Amino acid sequence: MSEHTKKIYILGKISGYYGVKGWLKIFSYTQPRENIVRYKALKIKFSNSHSINDEWLDIVLDNGKSHGKGVVAHFSGYDTRESAAHLINAELAIYRSDFKRALKNEYYWADLIGLTVINLEEIELGKITSLIETAAHDVLVVHSDPSNDSDSEQLIPFVMQHYIKNIDLDANLMTVDWQTSWNDKD
């Protein structure tokens, strides 16, 4: 397994009980929220008080569904509220290799975060630190110095072929048609 496919992506966190038969509430980071239950073989890391060498362990999600504004799930071997109690606050994750293959010109946000962004003049604009979902299209949040919250932030519409000219995940690089700053506009 390559370094990229071994990377762990956190999908959510177990946030509380749901009933008395071992079902638990999941705070899902996936979009849409219920996508977390598509993954049956998950990794789990317990909160600090129950940590086992701070490592990811295997756990099997055997049932899950949307419930109201959230997600509820049941894990194999945890059939009572008491047996599932130590799972609360644990994080759930998968390896990158477990992601469904993206279609051509489609990308997982997790793969875009951290990419270096350059413009057509090959001037480095910064790194992608997050994305924002809007009704029209997603927006890249690019910081010239991601370790400094007060650095210059640029918001670039994620519109392929218009603003986004090339994405090279292997080179960790995105090329955009964008000015270095708003003051440089014609």
Side-chain angles (χ1 to χ4, degrees), residues 38-81:
R38 289 184 175 179
Y39 300 98
K40 302 305 178 193
L42 293 167
K43 299 290 181 189
I44 188 167
K45 183 170 22 173
F46 298 100
S47 64
N48 291 338
S49 61
H50 300 294
S51 181
I52 302 171
N53 297 328
D54 200 36
E55 66 183 87
W56 291 97
L57 304 172
D58 295 325
I59 193 165
V60 175
L61 187 147
D62 59 17
N63 203 345
K65 61 184 177 182
S66 288
H67 182 73
K69 292 184 179 181
V71 176
V72 294
H74 184 272
F75 296 92
S76 182
Y78 298 92
D79 297 323
T80 66
R81 185 179 179 103

Side-chain angles (χ1 to χ4, degrees), residues 14-25:
I14 298 173
S15 59
Y17 298 110
Y18 178 73
V20 295
K21 295 186 178 184
W23 281 75
L24 297 162
K25 294 178 185 176

Side-chain angles (χ1 to χ4, degrees), residues 127-181:
K127 293 194 182 296
I128 301 170
T129 57
S130 62
L131 286 96
I132 302 169
E133 184 176 5
T134 69
H137 46 73
D138 297 333
V139 176
L140 303 168
V141 179
V142 179
H143 283 101
S144 58
D145 180 2
S147 64
N148 180 358
D149 288 340
S150 65
D151 79 334
S152 120
E153 175 183 273
Q154 293 191 57
L155 302 177
I156 302 173
F158 188 73
V159 181
M160 294 298 294
Q161 305 311 316
H162 188 73
Y163 298 113
I164 310 304
K165 296 301 183 180
N166 187 48
I167 298 173
D168 186 342
L169 295 178
D170 294 327
N172 204 32
L173 191 65
M174 179 184 291
T175 305
V176 299
D177 186 0
W178 202 255
Q179 301 296 322
T180 55
S181 74

Side-chain angles (χ1 to χ4, degrees), residues 97-148:
S97 59
D98 293 332
F99 283 19
K100 181 180 167 187
R101 186 181 171 107
L103 300 174
K104 185 177 179 176
N105 290 326
E106 288 187 2
Y107 300 91
Y108 285 100
W109 283 16
D111 289 339
L112 299 177
I113 294 172
L115 292 184
T116 298
V117 178
I118 62 171
N119 66 13
L120 296 174
E121 292 80 34
E122 297 187 10
I123 297 170
E124 185 175 324
L125 303 178
K127 293 194 182 296
I128 301 170
T129 57
S130 62
L131 286 96
I132 302 169
E133 184 176 5
T134 69
H137 46 73
D138 297 333
V139 176
L140 303 168
V141 179
V142 179
H143 283 101
S144 58
D145 180 2
S147 64
N148 180 358

